[in-house]
Amino acid sequence: MSGQHASDAVKTDWLTVATADGPMRVYAARPDQPADRAVIVLQEAFGVNDHIQDIARRYAARGFLALAPDLFHRSGVGTLPYEQHADAMPLIAAIGPDAVIADVEAVLALLVDDEGVSTSRTVINGFCFGGRAAFTAATAVRGLGATVVFYGPGIAAGPHAVVDRAEGMDAPVLMHVGGEDPTIPADHVSAVDAALRDAGVDFESYVYEGAGHAFACDARPHMYVEDSARTAWQRTYAFLDKHVPPTA
């Protein structure tokens, strides 16, 4: 572990977990008391940057052990600035469903073996590319506590589409999409909702009118929509407290 520090009763460090494709760094944010529930935070197209680390710390402040794996570990790229969107596209295009599932399973094993947190008490929450990754992992991992997807493109269409795998999901799912998000058109939203419904998944799906892609990313002021972000987070916390409730 390196770079350990504490802030507002949240302790952070970097862990390393073994995967079939080499070591993967994982940012960890811990509450001041031992956690009995966890969240795996899956990155946007820009790596485990300050924003993703901040989200992990927010979860830790609410009593979750939050782990954010570096899904770029195969390419050797750490993070990219937001203005380098074009450079991020080939990186995320190279990460197919099998790689995503392997990485999430490695973090789940770490949680069980080293932290004593079961898969049923673990949530996956992904953003942008990580939203697709969260959905993808949830189609393959049995017994999760819940999955939350913030504006995940490419679930219903594209080279790594996984909407046809929805029948593999057995945990509740919460979907957040901006109504003005060009990367997730209305027909994609409808296709995902229909697949979840047909698969018998317990899910909630919300479209935020007037909000675009990355509307909850306060690190990108030109995309951030405060009212929609606040509502989405309120719904997320309520959803998780319902399906993975804190113990007394």
Side-chain angles (χ1 to χ4, degrees), residues 26-168:
V26 181
Y27 180 80
R30 303 172 185 275
D32 55 354
Q33 298 295 322
D36 69 340
R37 55 180 182 163
V39 57
I40 300 174
V41 180
L42 298 184
Q43 68 192 52
E44 305 161 302
F46 307 95
V48 184
N49 59 10
D50 290 345
H51 176 60
I52 296 301
Q53 294 178 30
D54 181 55
I55 288 171
R57 291 192 296 270
R58 293 181 211 175
Y59 270 117
R62 298 184 70 88
F64 288 85
L65 168 58
L67 299 180
D70 174 16
L71 300 181
F72 285 166
H73 66 93
R74 292 171 184 83
S75 67
V77 174
T79 61
L80 292 170
Y82 285 119
E83 59 269 21
Q84 289 186 19
H85 184 267
D87 295 323
M89 292 303 97
L91 293 174
I92 63 173
I95 306 175
D98 290 346
V100 165
I101 292 164
D103 288 352
V104 170
E105 286 180 337
V107 179
L108 288 166
L110 171 73
L111 282 166
V112 171
D113 296 341
D114 295 353
E115 304 290 347
V117 181
S118 68
T119 298
S120 65
R121 297 284 294 165
T122 300
V123 175
I124 303 176
N125 183 189
F127 300 81
C128 182
F129 152 67
R132 167 172 63 82
F135 192 101
T136 298
T139 68
V141 175
R142 309 299 290 178
L144 280 169
T147 301
V148 181
V149 175
F150 275 77
Y151 33 79
I155 293 172
H160 299 314
V162 286
V163 69
D164 60 340
R165 304 186 186 193
E167 66 273 6

